[in-house]
Amino acid sequence: MRILGLSLLIPGLLGAAALHTALESSAPSDGDSLEAPPTEVRLEYTTDVQLDLSRVRVLGPAGEWAVEGLRYLAEDRHDVLVASLPVDQPSGAYRVLWTTAGPDGHAIHGEFEYEATGSLGIQEAQAPQDSLESEPLDSVESEAEAPTQGAQGPEDTASSLPAGDPNAGRGATGARWLFYMGIVAVLGSLSFRYLVLPQVLRGGELPEVGRGANHRLWRIAGLGVLALLVSAPPRLFYQVRSLYASEDEVPLSAFFQIAGAGPWGKGWLLGAACALLIGMGVLLARPRGERAPGWAVMALGALFLPLSPVLSGHAWSRSPQVLAAVADFVHVVAAGTWVGGLLCLLFAGLPALRAHGVKEGSGQPGLPGLVSAFSRVAIASVALLVLTGSVNTWLHLESFSQLWTTPWGRALIAKLAVVAGVLGLGFYNWRFVRPALDETPRAGLLKAPATVELGLGIAALVLTAFLVVRPL
């Protein structure tokens, strides 16, 4: 608990380290009254944005005007988008609706309005673009009159999480949670097979237990692959819908465009590829999940699997990026090893001991060694979780007060409360249950507290999924 408290204090002690994507300014600005319709709209953001995940719509007196091109302002200005407009726009009121995504791939939306009091001649509309690119953003706004009194600026009209955004709904959270459960099941089965079982079976003792445990671990890994594959399509669907939230229909081409576009798309593709590779390993390990080549293929896929949530989550947008990515990668591996290992202990290790011929309620000689082996792995995983969790909290929060003043911070507090419960039960199992097993090796002493600990761990994954699908 002291370590957990320290992880909460670090953000306040070290100060701000995060910068959130939001619209900083636009040309025209919200509420501007122009002498003639502009030939382009410029949007400047607080961070770099992803061009492939950006859209701009302009609604005018005659309906929607087609944006003739969307580009960056310059090669070194990926924080400014420029949308070219037709030259034959009439005078009247215009409304601009924009969608983009920051480095973390989360969609943000906004809108603003301006008015053109006159028409723009064809010769005037064909001003050289090179001269416009060389001018500062503010200079383009010099021709516009001051915003009308009471008009809202871009930051007021821009919404980083608009009402009804599907990417923040239950469906997106559920798909992300299923994705995390798949990762936990795969990493847990592999860590249990390679880190826990060898300690128990050293010296050739209890070989039947090893065979039975491997078969059950193989099943858990197969269920994990199934969860990864099933969660992939809805994750892509909700990501696409979040970027097309202002439109009634989503073109089929959008799914192919976003799959692989930017860090989020690359992370999604990597996760799907790793799931297929691990699934191939599961098939190769048949019929009883003992064949070593199959497990080696699974391990190869699992080695790259944690990179998928790193690329498709908040870590990729944090600075310093390398530190954020490494901390998130280790955090995922540690969580999978701990929670997934506990899952395997309950549904693979203990059943294998029972199947070895020892009846429930009687002494089980191999039980203390199995629990001790898992405890050593779990303690190391918890230490890494606390360390990387502290780093992630520092990088994600700009100030300590955001823990209770923002919806994201309050959700983080709820997650930390659940994690504190998991840590408490883990400490109880390590400090009291494990020593008791040396005197009375009965699985009944462990099952109840370990099951509650696993349930809280799964609840923490639900809250993690909720946090990740929401922009900071």
Side-chain angles (χ1 to χ4, degrees):
M1 293 299 292
R2 292 178 181 176
I3 298 177
L4 181 64
L6 179 61
S7 71
L8 286 172
L9 290 174
I10 286 179
L13 295 175
L14 298 183
L19 186 60
H20 312 316
T21 303
L23 183 65
E24 188 170 35
S25 63
S26 68
S29 298
D30 185 58
D32 275 356
S33 180
L34 311 177
E35 295 180 357
T39 58
E40 64 181 25
V41 171
R42 293 191 182 189
L43 305 168
E44 183 175 12
Y45 297 92
T46 55
T47 69
D48 288 352
V49 294
Q50 300 185 44
L51 182 61
D52 292 337
L53 304 183
S54 301
R55 294 176 55 79
V56 175
R57 302 174 61 197
V58 179
L59 308 180
E64 182 170 353
W65 288 83
V67 175
E68 297 183 341
L70 185 62
R71 56 186 171 83
Y72 289 125
L73 177 64
E75 287 296 327
D76 59 346
R77 290 299 305 274
H78 288 188
D79 60 328
V80 181
L81 295 177
V82 180
S84 300
L85 303 178
V87 297
D88 54 349
Q89 304 170 75
S91 60
Y94 288 82
R95 182 183 176 198
V96 178
L97 297 91
W98 57 265
T99 299
T100 192
D104 61 0
H106 284 100
I108 59 172
H109 310 266
E111 62 181 72
F112 59 90
E113 298 179 353
Y114 64 88
E115 183 180 5
T117 58
S119 299
L120 187 64
I122 298 297
Q123 297 299 323
E124 293 182 64
Q126 296 176 342
Q129 293 298 315
D130 293 340
S131 61
L132 289 176
E133 289 187 4
S134 62
E135 296 177 8
L137 184 65
D138 294 339
S139 66
V140 184
E141 303 178 16
S142 60
E143 298 179 2
E145 297 179 9
T148 56
Q149 187 175 5
Q152 293 178 307
E155 293 186 359
D156 295 325
T157 59
S159 172
S160 59
L161 188 64
D165 183 0
N167 200 36
R170 296 178 181 176
T173 301
R176 191 79 184 192
W177 171 79
L178 188 61
F179 173 59
Y180 286 151
M181 285 299 298
I183 294 177
V184 163
V186 169
L187 295 183
S189 60
L190 285 164
S191 63
F192 201 89
R193 185 182 194 274
Y194 287 110
L195 299 179
V196 177
L197 281 183
Q199 300 183 52
V200 180
L201 306 177
R202 189 175 295 136
E205 299 178 359
L206 303 176
E208 296 86 356
V209 173
R211 285 193 290 270
N214 272 320
H215 182 46
R216 290 171 174 82
L217 292 174
W218 172 72
R219 289 180 177 178
I220 293 173
L223 291 175
V225 170
L226 182 62
L228 292 173
L229 294 175
V230 170
S231 65
R235 286 179 59 221
L236 178 62
F237 170 79
Y238 286 114
Q239 177 70 5
V240 173
R241 280 300 301 152
S242 71
L243 295 167
Y244 284 79
S246 62
E247 301 184 27
D248 297 330
E249 297 182 0
V250 179
L252 184 61
S253 59
F255 292 88
F256 296 97
Q257 176 188 358
I258 293 174
W264 191 96
K266 290 180 175 61
W268 183 86
L269 276 181
L270 179 62
C274 288
L276 292 174
L277 182 60
I278 297 168
M280 185 183 302
V282 170
L283 294 176
L284 291 174
R286 295 179 66 187
R288 295 193 56 81
E290 299 177 12
R291 295 180 179 175
W295 284 97
V297 173
M298 284 188 244
L300 178 62
L303 180 65
F304 297 97
L305 182 61
L307 285 174
S308 178
V310 172
L311 291 170
S312 59
H314 293 301
W316 204 249
S317 64
R318 301 303 94 198
S319 179
Q321 191 178 69
V322 173
L323 175 61
V326 171
D328 209 47
F329 182 91
V330 176
H331 197 77
V332 172
V333 173
T337 301
W338 179 24
V339 180
L342 184 60
L343 173 72
C344 293
L345 176 66
L346 289 171
F347 293 98
L350 297 184
L353 283 176
R354 289 197 299 270
H356 183 44
V358 182
K359 296 181 179 180
E360 181 68 32
S362 62
Q364 294 176 282
L367 181 61
L370 180 66
V371 174
S372 295
F374 171 72
S375 294
R376 286 189 286 270
V377 175
I379 290 173
S381 300
V382 168
L384 289 174
L385 271 175
V386 172
L387 176 62
T388 55
S390 300
V391 173
N392 288 337
T393 304
W394 165 49
L395 293 175
H396 284 63
L397 295 179
E398 295 181 352
S399 65
F400 189 60
S401 62
Q402 285 185 331
L403 283 171
W404 59 84
T405 58
T406 64
W408 197 91
R410 289 190 289 271
L412 179 59
I413 288 180
K415 176 190 172 181
L416 290 174
V418 173
V419 171
V422 179
L423 288 172
L425 277 171
F427 176 79
Y428 172 80
N429 291 330
W430 171 75
R431 183 65 180 84
F432 298 102
V433 176
R434 188 178 61 84
L437 292 175
D438 292 331
E439 299 179 3
T440 309
R442 289 188 297 127
L445 295 174
L446 176 68
K447 287 179 63 176
T451 301
V452 175
E453 181 182 350
L454 177 62
L456 289 176
I458 294 175
L461 292 178
V462 174
L463 290 170
T464 301
F466 175 78
L467 287 168
V468 170
V469 300
R470 293 183 65 91
L472 288 171

